[in-house]
Amino acid sequence: MKTELVSLINERTELIERIRLFDNVVLIAPYNFGKETLINYSIQKASVKKKIVSISLNVLFSVSEDEFLCKYASEILNSLKAISKDSLESYLRTMSSLEIFYNIEATENASYKISVSACTAPFSTLQKEEILNLPEKIAKEKKIDLLICLSEFQSVLSWNKIKPSFLDLFHEIAKRQNHVRYYISGSHIYQMNKLFGNKNSLLYKFGHITYLEPIAKEQFSDYISKSFKKVDKVIERDLISKILNVTERNPRYTEFLFSEVLKSNNKIISHEWVENCIEILLRRYIASYKSKLSQYNVNQRLFLIALSKSNGKKIYSLDFIRKSGLEYSAKLDKVKNSLLKEGTIYTISDKTIKFTDPLFKYWLAENFD
């Protein structure tokens, strides 16, 4: 999501203030909602009044606890080496004493890169504690506030359990830290709620939870209309509304679609051109959507097709049950819950059932009766 779109997000002011207050923050929204752009924007704005050093790591690319810890230690060491050479040298000695192996490679501009080796794994509890405590040690010595940004955090749930589990240790160490806070984000709403919104979860009340809502339709429409005027093109309001209905104000899809629409050689954008651009966008994903649909069972497919043609409300009504062909509400409830857990759909405060991928919803509605 482009930085200028961030100014349209209602939750941005609160997130900036949470960072200034040095709170832990949990940001939850579907894929392609611009979470990382918003996080970077919030940190930049918060840093105007309060000096904050931030480090980012995507948990999605770690397939195990040990792989994550290697990347975590490497990222922290490389990010902080410029401001903490003495601490770095001391920590590297500590790592060696704990038999945590690392490599130092020369890079351009007479610099170097530190990589914690995976051959150390499996890590002992003492080694894990040392790695997870590294940010606090450096932040305390250098008298800085350190913000650790961990994206797609729900990925930890796919790791094999090693006792004590990563979550147990992470929670225990994080609550003792005074100079480090966490900005955690995730795209799988069901799993993120399981981690942070469930009263029985270890991480319940770990931080302030924000569910990122789509940009308001009127705001988005005004922004788009002004953007077209800047390049001397005219697009009617009903066409803007058509595009936002297709993308359901998903920032990434909306940006792509409007970039295609702007390629028109005509000053006035036609309905035919917009439809053509929607088809171009769909062609990028049709193969994956067909594959995805084939992996669902019959009842799941029936539910998704019926849901694609509804507003996501009153799914237990006789009309919805009839359209889905699922016969009775208990059966429908079982199918719905399976799709929530899988991540194809989600629900937040108003209980409306939504597709995680709005373009998948549009494709189903247009192609299946």
Side-chain angles (χ1 to χ4, degrees):
M1 181 168 57
K2 293 180 180 178
T3 304
E4 56 261 32
L5 283 181
V6 172
S7 63
L8 302 179
I9 296 175
N10 293 330
E11 296 85 356
R12 71 193 184 285
T13 304
E14 182 181 8
L15 290 170
I16 294 168
E17 187 59 26
R18 290 287 174 182
I19 295 174
R20 286 175 180 164
L21 293 172
F22 208 44
D23 292 338
N24 289 327
V25 175
V26 179
L27 181 62
I28 302 175
Y31 292 102
N32 300 327
F33 248 64
K35 292 185 290 298
E36 290 189 20
T37 303
L38 177 60
I39 289 169
N40 293 334
Y41 173 90
S42 302
I43 293 171
Q44 181 182 9
K45 291 295 182 180
S47 296
V48 173
K49 293 185 178 181
K50 181 184 180 74
K51 179 60 178 176
I52 299 171
V53 178
S54 64
I55 298 172
S56 301
L57 185 64
N58 193 325
V59 184
L60 180 64
F61 301 116
S62 298
V63 299
S64 68
E65 177 182 3
D66 289 318
E67 183 179 347
F68 168 79
L69 289 169
C70 287
K71 292 180 179 179
Y72 186 75
S74 301
E75 188 66 34
I76 291 168
L77 291 169
N78 287 299
S79 297
L80 297 179
K81 63 190 178 187
I83 63 171
S84 185
K85 185 176 181 179
D86 293 340
S87 298
L88 179 61
E89 292 174 350
S90 173
Y91 184 70
L92 290 176
R93 287 194 296 271
T94 302
M95 288 176 64
S96 295
S97 69
L98 290 172
E99 297 185 343
I100 300 175
F101 306 118
Y102 59 90
N103 301 311
I104 299 179
E105 303 174 19
T107 59
E108 296 179 359
N109 302 320
S111 185
Y112 59 94
K113 180 180 179 181
I114 303 169
S115 301
V116 175
S117 176
C119 67
T120 304
F123 290 109
S124 67
T125 300
L126 183 61
Q127 290 171 322
K128 294 175 186 179
E129 289 176 347
E130 188 65 29
I131 291 173
L132 291 173
N133 264 320
L134 172 60
E136 177 71 10
K137 285 185 174 182
I138 297 177
K140 183 178 181 180
E141 180 176 335
K142 294 303 173 181
K143 298 179 181 178
I144 60 174
D145 289 328
L146 184 55
L147 188 63
I148 306 292
C149 303
L150 300 174
S151 57
E152 302 307 338
F153 191 82
Q154 74 280 342
S155 303
V156 302
L157 294 173
S158 66
W159 297 345
N160 293 327
K161 296 293 183 182
I162 302 174
K163 297 298 181 181
S165 75
F166 169 78
L167 292 177
D168 290 325
L169 201 56
F170 175 75
H171 178 259
E172 183 62 31
I173 289 174
K175 71 181 183 182
R176 296 200 306 259
Q177 294 176 332
N178 297 314
H179 302 81
V180 177
R181 290 295 181 269
Y182 297 87
Y183 203 141
I184 292 175
S185 62
S187 302
H188 196 304
I189 286 80
Y190 178 88
Q191 292 182 344
M192 288 294 287
N193 281 332
K194 182 178 179 180
L195 283 167
F196 297 100
N198 189 323
K199 292 182 179 180
N200 297 319
S201 171
L202 186 67
L203 295 177
Y204 181 65
K205 292 188 176 180
F206 176 84
H208 176 77
I209 299 179
T210 295
Y211 293 93
L212 192 59
E213 297 280 359
I215 296 170
K217 190 170 185 178
E218 194 61 34
Q219 283 183 298
F220 220 154
S221 295
D222 289 341
Y223 168 81
I224 292 165
S225 181
K226 291 175 183 177
S227 297
F228 272 76
K229 287 179 182 178
K230 287 179 182 178
V231 294
D232 197 31
K233 289 185 183 292
V234 178
I235 182 168
E236 296 176 5
R237 281 280 174 168
D238 65 327
L239 287 180
I240 295 176
S241 181
K242 165 72 173 177
I243 293 171
L244 292 179
N245 286 338
V246 170
T247 65
E248 293 193 350
R249 292 164 283 152
N250 177 291
R252 183 175 177 182
Y253 286 150
T254 305
E255 271 195 323
F256 178 88
L257 201 42
F258 273 95
S259 68
E260 286 297 317
V261 172
L262 280 169
K263 292 177 183 177
S264 171
N265 294 321
N266 299 319
K267 179 176 180 177
I268 299 176
I269 305 300
S270 69
H271 286 252
E272 291 77 15
W273 180 252
V274 170
E275 291 292 343
N276 177 65
C277 292
I278 292 172
E279 285 301 314
I280 291 173
L281 176 59
L282 276 172
R283 282 200 294 270
R284 295 182 63 179
Y285 300 97
I286 283 177
S288 64
Y289 290 160
K290 288 181 178 179
S291 175
K292 180 188 293 187
L293 193 63
S294 69
Q295 294 171 22
Y296 296 122
N297 62 42
V298 173
N299 289 337
Q300 289 173 324
R301 289 199 291 269
L302 289 171
F303 179 90
L304 289 171
I305 291 168
L307 185 66
S308 71
K309 301 174 187 299
S310 76
N311 60 7
K313 299 179 180 179
K314 298 182 179 179
I315 66 165
Y316 296 104
S317 66
L318 291 176
D319 182 59
F320 187 91
I321 291 174
R322 178 182 58 79
K323 288 179 179 177
S324 68
L326 292 176
E327 301 170 2
Y328 50 88
S329 59
K331 188 175 183 179
L332 185 145
D333 201 46
K334 182 179 179 180
V335 174
K336 180 200 73 173
N337 289 335
S338 69
L339 291 166
L340 285 170
K341 291 178 181 179
E342 188 271 339
T344 300
I345 59 175
Y346 72 98
T347 179
I348 49 178
S349 55
D350 65 355
K351 305 302 181 184
T352 300
I353 307 295
K354 300 181 180 181
F355 277 76
T356 302
D357 184 340
L359 203 60
F360 181 47
K361 172 186 176 180
Y362 178 79
W363 177 74
L364 287 174
E366 291 294 305
N367 291 278
F368 296 90
D369 295 324

